[in-house]
Amino acid sequence: MLSIKNLHASIEGTPILKGINLQVNPGEVHAIMGPNGSGKSTLASVLAGREEYEVTQGEVIFQGKELLELSPEDRAREGVFLAFQYPIEIPGVSTTNFLRTALNQIREYRGQEPLDAVKFLSLMKEKMALVEIDQKLLSRSLNEGFSGGEKKRNEIFQMAMLEPKLSILDETDSGLDIDALRIVSNGVNKLKSPSTATIVVTHYQRLLDYIVPDVVHVLYQGRIVKSGSKELALELEQKGYDWIKEEVDTAKATA
Amino acid sequence: MSKDNQLLEDLTSKEYEHGWSVNYEADEAPAGLNEGIIRWISSKKEEPQWLLEWRLKAFATWQSMAEPSWANVNYPKIDLQALKYYSAPKQSKKPKNLNEVDPELIAIYERLGISLNEQKRLQGIAVDAVLDSVSVATTFKDTLSKLGIIFCSFSEAVKEHPELIKKYLGSVVPIQDNYYAALNSAVFSDGSFCYIPKGVRCPMELSTYFRINAANTGQFERTLIVAEESSYVSYLEGCTAPQRDENQLHAAVVEIYAAAHAEVKYSTVQNWFPGDKEGKGGIYNFVTKRGICAGDYSKISWTQVETGSAVTWKYPSCILKGDHSVGEFYSVAVTNNYQQADTGTKMIHIGKNTKSRIVSKGISAGKSQNSYRGQVQVMKRAQHAINFSQCDSLLMGNACGAHTFPYIDIANPTAKVEHEATTSKIGEDQIFYCNQRGIATEDAVALIVNGYAKEVLNQLPMEFAVEAQKLLALTLEGSVG
Ligand SMILES: Nc1ncnc2c1ncn2[C@@H]1O[C@H](COP(=O)(O)OP(=O)(O)O)[C@@H](O)[C@H]1O
Ligand SMILES: [Mg+2]
């Protein structure tokens, strides 16, 4: 589904991603872990098409298409969804209105009729139950004055509504209490299907108790330096990142 | 930043949609402004002597006045002698109903997206359409007249209801009020008159569509609304003008009179030709709008969505004379390219326990300049007056300007006056967030801007709110900052 080859990206001339290789197949869940500042959000942003980041090398194929050639909105319409680490506030625009605009543009791109109000509402009801979100929240200004947890839950609600092929969750677990974490993870799990894939960016292994990854990658200094099974996450939880850093640094020194 | 600028360029290049004009045979005055022209207009309109005298007095007053220069706008001096002051579509006889109206005129409205028939049938809105200077059609008259409501062209009102016109004309905006009001008083061509009798709630939105069509014709509309005790009316003025190279002057006057317990809502959606991308052409819109809450517990509410015109100079105001009277001003002013807007309101508190509320949302893009100018005046007698003002500016790009000029003048210590102001930019992160959900940049800006202006748009009648939202989007077409 997603194939990243030797991806390099920089911001304002500073290289951040230095040769990422990653293969994600339908039905898989990949976790990306790594210390702060290692480039996890950058990778997510580059995949979503944020313009500040300049791709200097490499290619990304998403469902047979050159992802990097597409505009951010077309990537979304092709089925790439990013749950933001820091969701953005849009005053005066309700989640409902926002999603209706989004969904209908996505449908138009796919040659589908826009959803009428009745169908849209029933879809909303169904997905609201999935992430246990309150209707009141959805009629308030998007993310404005939302608590950290509400913002994250709203991101997952949007994901549920837009039914993406590939979901990238950027630290969706941070700022969530244990109940919210369970609800959010539940939502993500229910949305999983053999034809969709998920990339979970996280610091903590606790999320991976709920969303069980097929592969865990460690991102460090703009490269994936280690990949393994879900046990790798446990190991990281116990030992921290220092041993990985050391491994990388020794490898560099001997190279 | 150059990326932004490119985006701005691309997205603001939408041409004015209503830029065309129809060559109908006009019955027009020669160019120039003098006493002779005023007499010519007055006789053309078969006006009574008192009105001619009123015009002549206004002309004399105007001659003694100087063009104001305090507004934050720049434009070349207008040659008032080069303008024509009267232009009427030629018609063999006056239409009695829509079926008799020149089909070409109807077609003009249809091209504007305002089919009178449609409006009549679907929306239940009474439309008094003003093409250049003469009202060509008035709908719904019968329904309204059963309630004793008068809604007709100004010229007709002069003939049919001279006592009302005599009583109220110039009572809220006197001849000598300002340069453009004096000019309007001298040369006004037509407009609308609306009278709601005591205790009557007007059952439909009353709406006027203005349109400037002939080249080099100044448009001088005159609107008068009188709401008697405990009556209610909601009035909407919408306007478009075809694309012209020369600037066209528009100097309208609107007067509203509200008796005790009466409520008048006046909404404007203005999308006159703003000039092209280089700032060539466009309408000069110098308008005087004022309402008086004459009786206790009366209320006047102005809502405006200003998206057009090259230069706008407009301060819909309320004189809160009656005790417990309420004045409101809700405004969205959008400027793009080289547009300049200097707009705001005056709230003059005279009566006790009077309240006013000002919500102004400025949006500037391109190389435009957008100023809010507002005055809150609390007179000595106005015990416990309350004012709340919220003035927000939204900037798109780095080449535009937003300015706020609040004047607060309080002569009574019991007054409570609050003023809040914010300036913000549409963030790239907001746009990206929308993009990431599949929303194209143009639509993202429309969404964000409409969200920003929501408090004002919510004041508009439903159908017009939808229209206004589209207009905002059209004017900005995705300007990003
Ligand atoms: N706008 C920016 N300008 C300069 N450096 C940036 C910018 N954004 C991120 N970076 C740098 O890129 C690196 C990776 O950041 P990020 O992808 O957010 O890391 P992570 O999500 O793994 O914590 C960090 O060193 C950060 O300081
Ligand atoms: Mg991050």
Side-chain angles (χ1 to χ4, degrees), chain A residues 35-42 44 85-86 170-171 201 203:
Chain A
N36 267 331
S38 56
K40 302 184 298 293
S41 292
T42 302
Q85 183 174 1
Y86 305 107
D170 192 0
E171 301 210 20
V201 173
H203 265 304

Side-chain angles (χ1 to χ4, degrees), chain B residues 226-463:
Chain B
V226 178
E228 294 286 24
E229 226 177 287
S230 304
S231 67
Y232 168 85
V233 65
S234 165
Y235 191 92
L236 187 115
E237 166 204 311
C239 18
T240 56
Q243 194 157 347
R244 290 274 175 203
D245 270 348
E246 297 104 313
N247 296 294
Q248 282 170 288
L249 174 62
H250 180 262
V253 170
V254 176
E255 296 180 280
I256 299 176
Y257 177 92
H261 295 274
E263 180 179 348
V264 179
K265 256 179 89 87
Y266 190 105
S267 315
T268 307
V269 176
Q270 187 262 112
N271 69 327
W272 278 327
F273 181 49
D276 65 14
K277 269 168 64 182
E278 275 71 50
K280 197 160 175 268
I283 301 287
Y284 291 161
N285 190 22
F286 302 140
V287 180
T288 307
K289 290 185 170 173
R290 192 177 304 146
I292 183 164
C293 286
D296 294 351
Y297 296 97
S298 55
K299 178 175 175 183
I300 292 176
S301 181
W302 298 100
T303 303
Q304 59 174 26
V305 176
E306 302 281 321
T307 68
S309 296
V311 180
T312 296
W313 180 99
K314 180 180 173 190
Y315 316 91
S317 305
C318 299
I319 301 169
L320 304 172
K321 186 158 168 265
D323 292 346
H324 303 275
S325 62
V326 178
E328 291 178 337
F329 173 73
Y330 294 94
S331 169
V332 179
V334 192
T335 53
N336 196 0
N337 298 318
Y338 286 89
Q339 280 178 281
Q340 305 174 69
D342 192 303
T343 184
T345 184
K346 275 189 212 170
M347 293 291 173
I348 300 164
H349 295 254
I350 300 172
K352 296 187 191 78
N353 301 303
T354 46
K355 265 194 228 169
S356 63
R357 183 179 175 82
I358 299 172
V359 178
S360 161
K361 304 271 182 177
I363 303 164
S364 349
K367 298 188 170 66
S368 68
Q369 295 295 326
N370 201 327
S371 304
Y372 167 79
R373 187 182 304 276
Q375 182 178 13
V376 175
Q377 190 173 9
V378 178
M379 311 291 244
K380 218 170 186 159
R381 202 174 82 68
Q383 285 285 95
H384 305 291
I386 297 177
N387 162 265
F388 173 75
S389 304
Q390 172 81 49
C391 303
D392 298 330
S393 310
L394 187 69
L395 295 166
M396 301 196 199
N398 303 312
C400 54
H403 318 272
T404 307
F405 305 100
Y407 305 91
I408 297 170
D409 182 1
I410 295 168
N412 185 311
T414 63
K416 261 198 233 157
V417 174
E418 256 183 274
H419 180 94
E420 283 175 17
T422 67
T423 301
S424 54
K425 275 191 155 201
I426 284 197
E428 263 167 51
D429 49 359
Q430 286 177 322
I431 302 280
F432 178 66
Y433 192 56
C434 294
N435 288 161
Q436 211 302 305
R437 300 302 186 246
I439 302 169
T441 300
E442 255 180 35
D443 302 293
V445 170
L447 198 68
I448 295 164
V449 164
N450 281 315
Y452 165 80
K454 192 174 166 196
E455 200 182 341
V456 175
L457 297 176
N458 279 350
Q459 297 296 323
L460 291 172
M462 186 56 177
E463 317 82 271

Side-chain angles (χ1 to χ4, degrees), chain A residues 109-124:
Chain A
Y109 181 83
R110 296 176 185 168
Q112 296 163 317
E113 291 286 301
L115 274 193
D116 63 41
V118 175
K119 287 200 181 112
F120 182 78
L121 210 67
S122 75
L123 184 69
M124 288 246 300

Side-chain angles (χ1 to χ4, degrees), chain A:
Chain A
M1 164 172 299
L2 179 75
S3 162
I4 304 176
K5 291 207 179 91
N6 192 32
L7 182 65
H8 289 248
S10 46
I11 183 154
E12 285 160 17
T14 311
I16 310 285
L17 301 183
K18 300 163 188 166
I20 303 272
N21 292 291
L22 184 64
Q23 174 75 35
V24 179
N25 299 312
E28 289 181 349
V29 175
H30 288 237
I32 297 182
M33 304 183 75
N36 267 331
S38 56
K40 302 184 298 293
S41 292
T42 302
L43 176 61
S45 298
V46 168
L47 292 177
R50 190 147 192 156
E51 287 189 22
E52 290 92 312
Y53 298 91
E54 193 195 347
V55 174
T56 49
Q57 251 188 82
E59 66 165 16
V60 178
I61 306 293
F62 175 67
Q63 298 199 303
K65 289 199 170 116
E66 288 269 11
L67 190 70
L68 302 176
E69 301 293 304
L70 300 176
S71 66
E73 57 270 32
D74 281 350
R75 295 180 200 198
R77 293 161 182 174
E78 288 287 341
V80 175
F81 181 91
L82 171 62
F84 283 56
Q85 183 174 1
Y86 305 107
I88 309 298
E89 295 178 2
I90 307 187
V93 178
S94 66
T95 302
T96 308
N97 188 10
F98 180 69
L99 279 178
R100 188 145 184 227
T101 310
L103 190 64
N104 283 336
Q105 291 212 0
I106 292 172
R107 291 179 67 88
E108 191 183 334
Y109 181 83
R110 296 176 185 168
Q112 296 163 317
E113 291 286 301
L115 274 193
D116 63 41
V118 175
K119 287 200 181 112
F120 182 78
L121 210 67
S122 75
L123 184 69
M124 288 246 300
K125 288 257 148 68
E126 179 198 329
K127 306 296 184 180
M128 274 160 58
L130 205 66
V131 294
E132 300 176 36
I133 200 164
D134 189 16
Q135 173 128 37
K136 273 198 210 113
L137 196 72
L138 304 181
S139 44
R140 279 171 49 187
S141 284
L142 185 56
N143 291 320
E144 200 181 38
F146 285 21
S147 71
E150 285 171 336
K151 284 184 184 171
K152 296 301 172 75
R153 204 181 291 195
N154 189 274
E155 291 291 288
I156 301 307
F157 173 68
Q158 292 182 35
M159 174 181 142
M161 286 293 291
L162 302 180
E163 299 176 339
K165 291 274 183 306
L166 173 69
S167 305
I168 306 165
L169 313 184
D170 192 0
E171 301 210 20
T172 301
D173 53 336
S174 55
L176 292 187
D177 61 32
I178 201 75
D179 286 335
L181 185 68
R182 186 184 43 79
I183 292 164
V184 163
S185 316
N186 245 335
V188 173
N189 287 333
K190 283 188 197 147
L191 294 168
K192 256 175 67 173
S193 86
S195 63
T196 63
T198 314
I199 298 176
V200 184
V201 173
T202 182
H203 265 304
Y204 306 105
Q205 110 86 24
R206 69 171 189 167
L207 176 68
L208 306 180
D209 286 341
Y210 296 95
I211 305 173
V212 182
D214 297 292
V215 194
V216 175
H217 308 275
V218 179
L219 191 63
Y220 179 55
Q221 292 184 346
R223 285 190 193 87
I224 289 176
V225 293
K226 208 170 186 67
S227 299
S229 66
K230 65 174 193 282
E231 281 71 32
L232 177 57
L234 280 171
E235 199 177 351
L236 290 168
E237 179 86 351
Q238 281 159 14
K239 305 205 296 199
Y241 288 108
D242 286 350
W243 63 281
I244 300 241
K245 292 181 188 170
E246 270 164 37
E247 262 186 36
V248 173
D249 295 342
T250 343
K252 259 192 201 156
T254 53

Side-chain angles (χ1 to χ4, degrees), chain B residues 124-201:
Chain B
I125 295 165
V127 178
D128 181 26
V130 178
L131 186 88
D132 284 326
S133 311
V134 171
S135 287
V136 290
T138 304
T139 54
F140 267 101
K141 226 168 186 169
D142 292 348
T143 323
L144 295 174
S145 69
K146 280 193 189 108
L147 292 164
I149 294 171
I150 304 167
F151 180 43
C152 61
S153 74
F154 205 93
S155 324
E156 197 182 331
V158 168
K159 292 202 173 80
E160 308 286 325
H161 310 282
E163 66 304 332
L164 288 173
I165 301 294
K166 238 177 170 163
K167 182 169 173 193
Y168 292 105
L169 178 67
S171 69
V172 189
V173 179
I175 284 172
Q176 70 280 7
D177 188 80
N178 70 69
Y179 183 81
Y180 292 106
L183 179 62
N184 175 288
S185 303
V187 301
F188 73 91
S189 35
D190 210 333
S192 301
F193 174 67
C194 170
Y195 177 85
I196 316 291
K198 187 170 167 179
V200 171
R201 203 184 152 83

